[in-house]
Amino acid sequence: MGFAVSADAYDRFMGRFSQPLAAVFADFAGVHGGLVLDVGCGPGALTAQLRSRGARVRAVDPSASFVAAARERHPEVEVLEGSAEALPFGDAEFDAALAQLVVHFMADPARGVAQMRRVTRPGGVVAACVWDHERGPLATFWRAVGELHEGSGAAPGEASRAGQHAGQLGALLRGAGLTDVLERAIEVRVAFEGFEAWWAPFELGVGPAGDHVAGLDPERRSRLAARCRALLPVPPFEVRSVAWAARGTRG
């Protein structure tokens, strides 16, 4: 999967959405200080938001390039390389554990959320958010891919990944033993001056979408870009992106 990329590439591709999302997600999680774990921190969008709210943050991510970038951007934060399914922290260390745009990429989401609960103190908050498959920032791209897909197999995409549909994140949190679970849709809006500003980051090889574009020959790539252009509004336009967010309390 295309996450062995530079932090700059990720910022251009998803950072334009994840940075404003971090503020909305932190509001939903109710974090205003304390010791907070950022699970799957990437280059540090949520870390920055949490620190701006007075939280003391520790972070973990499986990508070496993202860990390096987060350490450079936030030298006061301890950032470790590791997976959500085996968090390198002790029991009940944190006041809260948050995962932004991470659960759907966990190899074992149930275990990852259970680990987040383990490292959170009794009474602390565990929260996660994932883009809604039909209304997230990649919805137009995957719709175009599906329309142009050739062959007998199903079009590639991310629809089957955990948390991208109503009720899934809440079920994961309840399954991990969290109580008072609340789930709701949150959203951000990002403006684009033209189509190229929207399309160019898809060619940077980030995530499943970047992997898909990288695997296309020039003709098919051009056809996909043209279909995306046709599906998007006339520039300048705004992309409304919806994510599912859920939070719960460790009893």
Side-chain angles (χ1 to χ4, degrees):
M1 191 179 298
F3 290 110
V5 296
S6 70
D8 178 68
Y10 182 85
D11 286 343
R12 290 178 60 194
F13 178 73
M14 188 51 67
R16 52 196 176 161
F17 297 97
S18 63
Q19 291 171 10
L21 181 68
V24 183
F25 178 46
D27 282 341
F28 170 81
V31 173
H32 299 284
L35 179 60
V36 183
L37 177 62
D38 183 356
V39 178
C41 65
L46 181 60
T47 293
Q49 183 61 224
L50 294 172
R51 294 187 66 228
S52 75
R53 294 163 182 253
R56 293 172 290 120
V57 183
R58 299 174 76 183
V60 61
D61 196 276
S63 167
S65 62
F66 290 170
V67 168
R71 286 172 176 168
E72 181 177 357
R73 295 175 181 183
H74 305 286
E76 302 87 356
V77 175
E78 180 184 26
V79 185
L80 301 181
E81 185 175 341
S83 72
E85 294 85 351
L87 291 174
F89 305 103
D91 295 351
E93 283 194 36
F94 298 92
D95 298 304
L98 275 60
Q100 173 171 292
L101 307 180
V102 174
V103 169
H104 56 318
F105 292 124
M106 291 179 183
D108 185 341
R111 180 172 176 78
V113 173
Q115 282 282 293
M116 292 172 66
R117 177 189 180 279
R118 177 185 66 78
V119 302
T120 303
R121 64 168 175 78
V125 171
V126 173
C129 68
V130 173
W131 293 122
D132 177 278
H133 177 68
E134 299 294 335
R135 298 178 292 168
L138 305 182
T140 296
F141 174 85
W142 288 120
R143 176 183 169 187
V145 169
E147 291 178 1
L148 296 176
H149 184 67
E150 299 174 356
S152 58
E158 301 179 41
S160 64
R161 294 184 179 276
Q164 297 195 110
H165 302 276
Q168 292 181 343
L169 280 180
L172 279 169
L173 267 61
R174 284 188 288 271
L178 294 159
T179 61
D180 301 321
V181 174
L182 172 66
E183 180 178 356
R184 74 161 182 244
I186 58 178
E187 70 172 68
V188 296
R189 295 173 183 266
V190 178
F192 293 88
E193 289 297 319
F195 173 75
E196 286 304 323
W198 181 89
W199 169 258
F202 284 93
E203 298 189 334
L204 298 175
V206 182
D211 285 344
H212 181 76
V213 172
L216 299 176
D217 61 46
E219 180 182 353
R220 294 176 68 197
R221 185 179 298 193
S222 178
R223 191 160 67 243
L224 176 57
R227 185 57 189 147
C228 288
R229 186 192 296 269
L231 290 172
L232 288 166
V234 175
F237 57 84
E238 185 177 71
V239 174
R240 171 179 173 264
S241 297
V242 176
W244 289 107
R247 72 170 187 257
T249 302
R250 177 174 179 180

